Amino acid sequence: MLRTHLTTAWKLRYPIIGAPMAYVGRGRLAHAVSQAGGLGMIGIGSNEPVEFFEREAAIARGADQQPFGFGLMAWAIEKRPEMLQAAIQARPFLISISFGSPEPYVELIHQHGIYLATQVHSREEAIQAERIGVDLVAAQGTEAGGHTGEVGTLPLLQAVLDAVQVPVVAAGGIATARGVVAALAAGAAGVWVGTCLLASPECENTEQARARIIQSQETDTVLTRVFDVAQGLSWPPQYAGRALRNHYTDQWHANVEALAINDQARQELAQAIKEKDYDRAHIYAGEAVGLVKQQQAAATIIQQLGNGAEQLLQERYRALL
Ligand SMILES: Cc1cc2nc3c(=O)[nH]c(=O)nc-3n(C[C@H](O)[C@H](O)[C@H](O)COP(=O)(O)O)c2cc1C
C-alpha cells in the first residue's frame, strides 16, 4: 500500500487520478478508473450542455457509488457560470478548475463539501493556488496531452514541491510504473494521468483514433494553437494544446495568424473532424503516447501503475539505499 495524502486522507487505493479529458473522458472512463482504485474524472468541454453533468455523473458513480471528479476550465466558467452550478449539483468528490484562477469559486465549492484541485504551470501559480485554499495542486508539465504550459514536468514538480505545503500531484508524461515512482520519490502525493488511458475501450475515442495512438511515438506530438484557432475556440493564447502531429499541424503550426483568417482551411478541419480523418483532425495526446502500445482496459492500466509502483519502489529502495 502506497501511503500518501491521496490514499490516507482521500482513501483511494492508489495515489492515481485519471485526468479530466474533455470529449473523450466521460462517466464510463471515470467509473472504471475509480472502481480500479484511482479517482476518475469527467472532462468538461466549453460547450457541454448542463444536462451532461447529471447524466455522466450517474455513470461515473455507478451502482457501487464510486467517487469521481469534474475537470472544468476557468475561462469557460467565466462565460457559462451555469456549468459550475451543474457540476456542484451532481455531487462530485473533486472539482478541478484549471487554465485561469479558481479563486472566485473556492468558497462555494468548499461550502458543498467538495474538494478543489487546479493544474498549475509555474511555481508562482502553485503559491497562489495554496494561498486561496485549493486542496490539491497538479503540476502540469508541457509534455502533457491536451492544453498545458511550457515548463517540463520534472523542473516544474521540483519547483512546486519546494514552494508549497499543499498536496501536489505530477501531471504530464507519466504512463508507466517508473513514472509513478519518480513522482512519488520526488515527494508528490500522486500522479494525474491522461494519455495512458486514451486507447482504453472506456475512453470515448474512435477506433481510428485509438489505432493512431497505439502507433505513435513520443516524438510525434506538437504543442499548438492550430486546432483552437481553426475551430474559433476562446482558449487563452498562453495555453496551447499538445496533439498528435499531422498534415494539418504541419501546414498551419508556424502560420496560425494566417489560419485565423482562412475560412477554407477552417472548413477543411470541420469536415475532417466529421469524417474522422486524422491526417487533418486533431487527436490530443501527450509525449507519453509513445508508451501506449496496446488497447487495455482502464482498470488494468490503473492497477499496473499502482501495483507496479509499489513493487518497483521496494526493489529500487533496496537497491539504492
Ligand atoms: C485528450 C485530452 C483532453 C484533455 N482535456 C482536459 C480538460 O478538459 N480539462 C483539463 O483540465 N485538462 C485536460 N487535459 C489535460 C489532463 O488533465 C492532464 O493534465 C494530462 O492528460 C496529463 O498528462 P498526460 O497526458 O501526459 O498523462 C486533457 C488531456 C488530454 C490528453
Side-chain angles (χ1 to χ4, degrees):
M1 169 87 181
L2 295 164
R3 274 182 301 280
T4 79
H5 186 79
L6 296 193
T7 58
T8 54
W10 286 18
K11 308 224 177 312
L12 304 181
R13 166 70 183 86
Y14 301 116
I16 300 173
I17 296 182
M21 297 190 284
Y23 309 113
V24 295
R26 295 188 174 153
R28 209 152 58 108
L29 181 64
H31 183 256
V33 168
S34 291
Q35 199 175 40
L39 178 68
M41 295 191 71
I42 301 170
I44 303 298
S46 56
N47 55 4
E48 223 65 90
V50 287
E51 307 79 64
F52 177 88
F53 291 78
E54 198 46 66
R55 187 183 73 222
E56 295 301 320
I59 298 169
R61 190 175 285 117
D64 50 349
Q65 299 291 312
Q66 294 296 335
F68 65 93
F70 284 116
L72 296 109
M73 279 101 66
W75 62 265
I77 302 175
E78 274 167 36
K79 287 186 198 310
R80 294 184 56 218
E82 68 275 17
M83 289 206 294
L84 182 60
Q85 287 299 340
I88 289 171
Q89 274 164 22
R91 294 176 291 114
F93 178 83
L94 176 69
I95 288 181
S96 121
I97 300 180
S98 302
F99 311 114
S101 175
E103 184 163 11
Y105 319 111
V106 178
E107 220 181 295
L108 180 68
I109 288 169
H110 282 161
Q111 270 168 10
H112 286 84
I114 299 166
Y115 289 119
L116 174 62
T118 188
Q119 296 183 89
V120 302
H121 308 98
S122 67
R123 178 202 304 261
E124 195 45 47
E125 273 180 30
I127 292 169
Q128 287 300 324
E130 178 171 61
R131 187 184 59 74
I132 65 175
V134 162
D135 304 292
L136 182 75
V137 165
Q140 191 200 29
T142 192
E143 49 272 65
H147 290 77
T148 186
E150 292 183 344
V151 182
T153 301
L154 204 45
L156 181 65
L157 183 65
Q158 294 169 81
V160 168
L161 284 170
D162 278 348
V164 299
Q165 301 297 313
V166 65
V168 174
V169 291
I174 297 164
T176 68
R178 290 182 196 282
V180 179
V181 166
L184 295 177
V191 295
W192 174 289
V193 296
T195 294
C196 67
L197 297 165
L198 286 176
S200 68
E202 295 88 350
C203 201
E204 317 289 333
N205 259 326
T206 62
E207 270 311 311
Q208 298 94 314
R210 274 190 203 123
R212 290 235 173 191
I213 287 160
I214 288 167
Q215 284 155 15
S216 296
Q217 305 303 318
E218 65 277 11
T219 45
D220 289 339
T221 72
V222 59
L223 184 61
T224 188
R225 298 192 58 234
V226 158
F227 298 115
D228 296 330
V229 169
Q231 292 179 96
L233 298 176
S234 310
W235 270 96
Q238 68 268 34
Y239 304 114
R242 187 171 295 284
L244 297 185
R245 253 185 24 232
N246 62 14
H247 293 330
Y248 202 78
T249 60
D250 287 349
Q251 188 173 0
W252 293 110
H253 178 58
N255 225 346
V256 174
E257 285 78 20
L259 174 62
I261 51 170
N262 186 326
D263 280 348
Q264 197 188 332
R266 297 173 56 159
Q267 274 163 23
E268 197 190 317
L269 178 65
Q271 190 63 24
I273 293 172
K274 241 186 256 161
E275 291 170 2
K276 305 181 182 49
D277 166 13
Y278 297 113
D279 283 337
R280 288 176 182 73
H282 54 276
I283 297 176
Y284 282 115
E287 291 178 351
V289 73
L291 299 164
V292 181
K293 305 231 192 311
Q294 56 182 323
Q295 285 210 25
Q296 274 186 317
T300 308
I301 297 166
I302 298 299
Q303 284 159 358
Q304 280 175 357
L305 289 177
N307 294 338
E310 279 175 20
Q311 204 180 335
L312 199 55
L313 264 169
Q314 275 170 357
E315 286 166 14
R316 292 301 296 155
Y317 270 133
R318 239 196 312 260
L320 286 168
L321 290 177

